[in-house]
Amino acid sequence: MNFAEVLRERVLVCDGAMGTMLHAAGNSLDRALPELNLSNPELVSTVHESYVGAGVDIVLTNTFGANRLRLAEHGSSTSVRDINLAAVRLARQARRGVDRTIFVGGSVSPAVSASQRQSVRPDERVEAIREQVRALVDGGVDLLVLETFGYLDELVEAVRVAAGLTELPILAQATFTAEGLMPGGETPHEVASALGELPITALGANCTVGPQRMLAVVDELRRYTTLPISAQPNAGLPRRIGRRFEYSVEGDYFARYARRYVERGASIVGGCCGTSPAHIRDIVTTLTDLRPKQQRRPKPVRPRPLVQPEHGRLAQRLAERRFVVAAQIAPPAGGGAEEATELVSVLRRNGIDLVFVAARESARAQVSSASLALHVEREVGAETIATVTTWDKTIMTLQADLLGAHAFGMRTVVCETGNPPLRGDYPNADGIWEVDSVGLIELLAGLNDGRDCNGLTLATKTSFHIGARFNPGAEDRDAELARTKAKIAAGAQFLITRPIYETEGLAAMLAVLSEEDVPVLMAVSPLTGYAEAEYLAHEVPDVRIPRATLDTLEAAGDRGREVGLELASELLAEARPLVRGVVLVLRDGRKLADFLPLVAEHK
């Protein structure tokens, strides 16, 4: 019988979880479950037969993730075509001898997991979907079921691929979070609008949420489409028990909500993660007296307005191509904030209202750079820009800190990997990096797009202005250039050099980076004398001090501090045509009074 015709006449019940059943049978959570179609077909057949016995109208093939990219993630090299053909054969066999119509739906997942999305090109995704769909069609499925798509562009992509290969019915299912949005941020209205223009037979939602939250999604979809709707929720929230996940939603509760889906306009109901033949049997019993509702034309809805993000003074000045003069301070050791507040007050009185707060690499107690920046900005009024490092922080901790800082008004952040303080014989032996500076930049760029580190939608987009460091004095300049380009590609919107003492390396790197069109600020830290210059030149990696500078400071003797300021002034004058601004670094051992003449000269 024709699937679309049957769908107009009666409510169809789809099966429940395949993966949950296979895991319950002892298969590892990290195994490629579609491979069982070849290695353990008896187990897969048993699951299909259990759902057929429960009374389903649609059986889905065991092919979620059965494309080359997903299989490769699990280390499987088995033929994609062989796995999918075997899956269709097992599903078709399960309906033999049954005296009612049972449709075999070819299950198609997104081409890649959310964590792999950014590293795989769209054309690679398309080819992976095309290869799998072709095998399912050749195997003899009755319809294609695109399920658990978290990003609308991928779902649209998959529908177009499938429609280009076959005229079989297509059921397109997005997945929505508890907030009612796809992980990619799209609303049910946007999903219905996009899919309504494509050749699909039905649309719906599956996975991620439980029965109650799915009801709200059904309501939203029904408002915006006249197409048949499907709903396949999870059996609530899971809890992990050893190597397994367990779900607690009982069959009668699950079936009660399935009936509500149909009463609200759904035509296909079933289950996803955590559901079993028992859940599906209860659904079949509950829906025996219901028919699909006739649908009215959806109401037109105005599109959401675009929100223009607010940025800080630095972003504004760079956009206006004004030369920037800023200062950089470090959090005082010992945990106090008064010293920094007074220092920034003096800087502001002398014309500097942009202050970078560095991250101090010290084992002593200290205020975090972000907390200090927010405190000083509130007390003084200068825009303070925090340097955020990633060492000893999980990405979830970084994300929470950044969202908190944004809520309190911080808009500009400089990203660094950072180094923990030395505490033993081996440098940084107890440092932990879940992400480095590139990962931190990607996190901030995602927050600006309205996505968290897991790709889930935020309540609102952030508006961070993202900065990154680079080092023109690096010994391996090619490696430093490659690293800097990676930061720009990740989303860095401006760059700051490490403190430099000559312009040759800076000019060489800027010549290569000019094609990136990213504003560059130069950090300058006036030398206090020959001892400091000698230490930096010989004991600190990737710092270049010209021989002429060393000789000049050695000859200066007791006038080293004064000569250091003169050298810094000459360096600034030489570099000014190359960069968009300067960051004057106040460090321990340099008095503010010595620093102020540079401010006046280059403001």
Side-chain angles (χ1 to χ4, degrees):
M1 295 184 66
N2 181 279
F3 177 78
E5 292 177 1
V6 173
L7 193 55
R8 284 192 291 269
E9 296 298 321
R10 60 187 176 91
V11 176
L12 299 182
V13 177
C14 191
D15 61 12
M18 171 62 76
T20 300
M21 301 295 288
L22 297 178
H23 289 315
N27 290 285
S28 171
L29 291 173
D30 57 2
R31 177 169 185 170
L33 296 179
E35 188 272 334
L36 292 170
N37 298 329
L38 299 175
S39 63
N40 195 349
E42 296 82 7
L43 175 60
V44 177
S45 291
T46 298
V47 176
H48 284 320
E49 290 164 4
S50 297
Y51 282 120
V52 169
V56 299
D57 303 296
I58 304 171
V59 173
L60 298 185
T61 56
N62 178 36
T63 51
F64 187 94
N67 66 70
R68 69 168 78 162
L69 298 175
R70 289 261 191 165
L71 292 171
E73 284 187 51
H74 291 281
S76 175
S77 59
T78 310
S79 165
V80 169
R81 184 172 180 81
D82 289 346
I83 287 176
N84 283 274
L85 290 176
V88 179
R89 183 172 61 254
L90 294 174
R92 287 171 62 91
Q93 288 173 354
R95 68 182 180 183
R96 288 179 182 173
V98 180
D99 60 356
R100 68 179 192 279
T101 301
I102 298 177
F103 297 99
V104 171
S107 170
V108 179
S109 74
V112 292
S113 61
S115 62
Q116 294 293 317
R117 173 176 159 85
Q118 298 301 321
S119 60
V120 177
R121 300 192 311 272
D123 63 304
E124 294 177 296
R125 298 197 306 252
V126 165
E127 186 52 40
I129 295 292
R130 179 179 289 112
E131 181 182 25
Q132 183 185 7
V133 168
R134 186 177 288 117
L136 290 170
V137 172
D138 290 347
V141 296
D142 301 308
L143 71 149
L144 293 167
V145 181
L146 313 178
E147 54 176 338
T148 325
F149 278 74
Y151 296 89
L152 184 54
D153 61 335
E154 292 186 38
L155 182 53
V156 169
E157 208 172 70
V159 169
R160 287 174 174 161
V161 169
L165 291 173
T166 180
E167 294 183 357
L168 287 175
I170 298 172
L171 166 58
Q173 295 187 135
T175 193
F176 295 88
T177 66
E179 291 77 21
L181 301 174
M182 292 180 72
E186 296 86 1
T187 65
H189 173 220
E190 290 167 325
V191 171
S193 297
L195 295 179
E197 299 174 357
L198 299 175
I200 62 173
T201 305
L203 66 84
N206 76 295
C207 204
T208 306
V209 296
Q212 189 176 107
R213 297 301 177 106
M214 183 63 77
L215 183 60
V217 175
V218 170
D219 285 340
E220 285 295 293
L221 288 174
R222 178 45 65 217
R223 288 180 63 192
Y224 306 122
T225 185
T226 57
L227 285 168
I229 289 175
S230 68
Q232 294 184 261
N234 288 346
L237 297 175
R239 59 176 179 172
R240 187 164 183 166
I241 307 295
R243 298 286 293 170
R244 296 176 54 217
F245 286 104
E246 291 188 356
Y247 294 78
S248 59
V249 170
E250 296 178 352
D252 59 346
Y253 175 88
F254 197 90
R256 188 159 68 249
Y257 270 92
R259 184 177 181 88
R260 291 177 183 175
Y261 303 152
V262 176
E263 290 171 344
R264 302 286 185 90
S267 301
I268 303 171
V269 292
C272 203
C273 301
T275 58
S276 67
H279 290 90
I280 302 303
R281 187 176 295 108
D282 286 342
I283 290 176
V284 171
T285 302
T286 302
L287 300 184
T288 52
D289 62 326
L290 292 182
R291 290 173 55 83
K293 294 181 67 174
Q294 296 297 315
Q295 305 308 328
R296 295 174 297 177
R297 184 177 299 277
K299 301 176 183 178
V301 177
R302 297 177 182 175
R304 292 181 295 175
L306 295 175
V307 178
Q308 296 296 329
E310 297 178 359
H311 292 300
R313 297 174 201 166
L314 176 61
Q316 182 178 355
R317 291 176 190 179
L318 290 173
E320 295 171 353
R321 305 194 73 82
R322 295 161 57 188
F323 192 81
V324 173
V325 178
Q328 177 178 299
I329 65 172
E338 296 78 9
E339 178 184 339
T341 302
E342 178 58 30
L343 183 58
V344 175
S345 296
V346 176
L347 287 170
R348 191 171 189 204
R349 287 197 296 270
N350 284 273
I352 288 189
D353 61 356
L354 291 174
V355 179
F356 290 81
V357 180
R360 180 184 285 273
E361 296 174 4
S362 170
R364 293 190 61 187
Q366 57 192 283
V367 181
S368 74
S369 58
S371 297
L372 182 62
L374 289 167
H375 171 77
V376 169
E377 183 160 333
R378 184 187 64 185
E379 295 294 318
V380 179
E383 180 179 358
T384 47
I385 299 166
T387 296
V388 176
T389 60
T390 66
W391 70 271
D392 274 357
K393 291 184 180 179
T394 67
I395 192 168
M396 296 296 290
T397 300
L398 288 164
Q399 178 173 265
D401 289 347
L402 289 165
L403 288 173
H406 190 274
F408 282 103
M410 182 174 290
R411 291 296 179 267
T412 308
V413 173
V414 177
C415 301
E416 289 187 5
T417 302
N419 293 303
L422 302 182
R423 291 179 174 174
D425 297 335
Y426 293 95
N428 314 326
D430 54 357
I432 299 171
W433 290 267
E434 187 167 301
V435 292
D436 60 7
S437 60
V438 175
L440 180 57
I441 293 166
E442 290 174 339
L443 171 63
L444 283 163
L447 297 179
N448 283 349
D449 286 339
R451 296 176 286 102
D452 69 7
C453 62
N454 293 313
L456 300 178
T457 303
L458 297 171
T460 184
K461 296 180 180 181
T462 60
S463 52
F464 284 114
H465 190 213
I466 307 169
R469 302 273 183 183
F470 77 106
N471 186 9
E475 188 70 26
D476 188 341
R477 190 170 291 165
D478 289 340
E480 184 67 12
L481 278 168
R483 178 81 173 160
T484 303
K485 288 183 177 182
K487 294 175 183 179
I488 295 170
Q493 296 163 306
F494 69 96
L495 299 173
I496 308 177
T497 71
R498 299 291 179 185
I500 64 173
Y501 305 93
E502 51 84 25
T503 59
E504 180 183 350
L506 174 65
M509 290 194 73
L510 292 182
V512 178
L513 293 173
S514 61
E515 61 191 42
E516 302 290 348
D517 194 28
V518 175
V520 174
L521 307 179
M522 180 180 71
V524 174
S525 180
L527 295 164
T528 59
Y530 178 71
E532 181 187 22
E534 184 183 40
Y535 167 75
L536 291 172
H538 296 284
E539 296 192 36
V540 179
D542 293 325
V543 176
R544 297 189 183 202
I545 307 288
R547 183 71 252 176
T549 298
L550 289 168
D551 292 343
T552 300
L553 287 170
E554 185 174 23
D558 294 340
R559 294 184 60 253
R561 187 181 297 273
E562 180 182 343
V563 171
L565 284 166
E566 293 172 358
L567 291 170
S569 182
E570 293 171 3
L571 183 68
L572 283 170
E574 185 179 346
R576 184 158 182 158
L578 301 174
V579 295
R580 297 280 296 280
V582 61
V583 179
L584 301 167
V585 180
L586 276 72
R587 294 189 303 158
D588 297 339
R590 169 62 66 187
K591 295 180 180 179
L592 180 59
D594 295 334
F595 178 87
L596 294 177
L598 285 178
V599 174
E601 184 177 352
H602 294 279
K603 183 67 177 163

